[in-house]
Amino acid sequence: MVDFIDDHKQQYGVEPICRVLPIAPSTYYRAKELEENPEKRSQRSLHDDFYLNEIKRIWKDSKCRYGARKVWKQLKSEGIHPARCTIERLMRQHGMQGIWRGKGKITTKSRDDQKRADDLVNRNFSAHRPNQLWVADFTYVKTLSGWVYTAFIIDVFARAIVGWKVSNRMNTDMVMAALNQAIADRNNLKDVIHHSDRGVQYLSIRYTDKMADSGVIASVGTSLSQTLCNCNLD
C-alpha cells in the first residue's frame, strides 16, 4: 500500500488515497520516515531483517527444500540462535516453505453427474471494472493442530480478496461464509461472474441458490490453478 500511495500521490494526494485503502495517513508517513531513518526502527524489526536474510540464504542453498525446522537447525549450527517461532513466522510471511513428505490434501472433489454451470470465462481472466469477474477457490495449510483451510473470493479487476473464511473443515459452510462476505461488502451487484472449479462445495444447492438470489452469475471451469496464475496475484 505504501508503494501504491507513492505511485499515485501526485495525482490524488495521500489523504484521499488513504480514505479508500485500509491505511491511516499517519501509518503511511511513519513508514516513509522509517525508510529514510532505518535506525529508528524497533529492535524486533531490525532483528527480523537480519534473520530474514539468513533464512533466505539457507532456504535457497537447499534449493527451496528446507522447512522452518531445518532452517532453524542450520542457523543454530552456524551460531545464530533465533526462536523457532520467529523462523516460522518470517518464512510464512514471505511465502517460503519446505517440501512436504507424503501426500498433500485434495481440495477439489467433483462429481461427474453433478449439474454445473457453463464455463463463461474460457481462460480469459481479465476485467475492465470492479465486480465484473470474481474467482473463488480455497487452499490449505498443515499446522500443529491439524489441517486448516482458507476459502477466498478475488475481484479480478482490483486483484483484491473481497471475501474469505478460515475453517478446520472443508465444507460448504466455509465457502458460503466467503461468498456472503463478498456479497455484503460489494453493494448493488449486477451481472458479476463468479468463476470456480468443479468442487462439490461450489456446486451445492445452497451455494448456487445464494448466487442466483444475489445477482451473481455462476461459471465453472476445470481448475482454479490456471486462474490464479493468470490473475498475477502476489
Side-chain angles (χ1 to χ4, degrees):
M1 287 188 285
V2 171
D3 291 340
F4 180 86
I5 294 171
D6 286 342
D7 293 339
H8 297 88
K9 65 183 180 181
Q10 295 299 327
Q11 183 177 1
Y12 299 107
V14 173
E15 283 73 13
I17 296 176
C18 289
R19 282 197 294 269
V20 177
L21 298 178
I23 183 174
S26 59
T27 302
Y28 167 76
Y29 289 122
R30 175 63 176 167
K32 297 304 294 181
E33 180 185 6
L34 294 178
E35 282 184 8
E36 297 174 1
N37 303 283
E39 69 278 0
K40 294 184 179 181
R41 298 169 64 193
S42 67
Q43 283 295 112
R44 177 180 176 176
S45 179
L46 295 174
H47 287 161
D48 280 356
D49 282 352
F50 170 76
Y51 292 140
L52 181 59
N53 287 332
E54 297 301 312
I55 291 169
K56 287 181 177 178
R57 172 180 60 81
I58 293 173
W59 188 65
K60 290 179 179 178
D61 287 347
S62 74
K63 297 182 180 179
C64 306
R65 295 177 179 174
Y66 278 9
R69 182 179 63 86
K70 289 187 176 180
V71 170
W72 177 61
K73 287 188 173 182
Q74 180 65 34
L75 285 172
K76 288 203 304 180
S77 70
E78 296 179 5
I80 304 172
H81 299 280
R84 178 169 169 174
C85 61
T86 299
I87 305 303
E88 293 171 346
R89 172 175 58 83
L90 291 174
M91 291 187 69
R92 182 171 60 250
Q93 288 176 349
H94 294 271
M96 292 180 282
Q97 68 177 23
I99 294 178
W100 294 355
R101 296 184 182 274
K103 295 181 179 179
K105 299 288 285 185
I106 298 174
T107 56
T108 302
K109 296 181 180 179
S110 60
R111 284 172 30 197
D112 292 337
D113 62 342
Q114 195 167 15
K115 183 179 179 181
R116 55 179 177 265
D118 294 332
D119 185 349
L120 305 178
V121 176
N122 195 27
R123 296 184 180 272
N124 180 21
F125 299 108
S126 60
H128 307 294
R129 59 174 174 81
N131 298 331
Q132 178 182 345
L133 174 60
W134 291 353
V135 293
D137 200 3
F138 59 90
T139 187
Y140 62 90
V141 61
K142 190 175 184 181
T143 69
L144 293 176
S145 58
W147 294 98
V148 176
Y149 304 91
T150 303
F152 50 88
I153 296 177
I154 298 169
D155 186 322
V156 172
F157 175 81
R159 305 294 198 272
I161 294 176
V162 295
W164 62 278
K165 176 66 176 180
V166 176
S167 174
N168 59 2
R169 298 187 63 189
M170 187 176 61
N171 56 16
T172 301
D173 288 340
M174 177 184 67
V175 296
M176 279 291 299
L179 177 64
N180 287 332
Q181 182 185 25
I183 291 173
D185 288 349
R186 295 295 180 102
N187 297 321
N188 301 319
L189 295 176
K190 184 179 180 181
D191 298 334
V192 56
I193 295 175
H194 170 291
H195 189 76
S196 69
D197 60 22
R198 298 178 181 180
V200 293
Q201 297 89 347
Y202 295 114
L203 302 184
S204 67
I205 294 175
R206 281 197 297 142
Y207 199 89
T208 54
D209 282 352
K210 179 64 177 180
M211 286 195 292
D213 293 342
S214 304
V216 177
I217 303 171
S219 170
V220 177
T222 56
S223 173
L224 259 292
S225 59
Q226 185 65 37
T227 302
L228 299 180
C229 289
N230 282 309
C231 281
N232 293 322
L233 297 172
D234 294 329

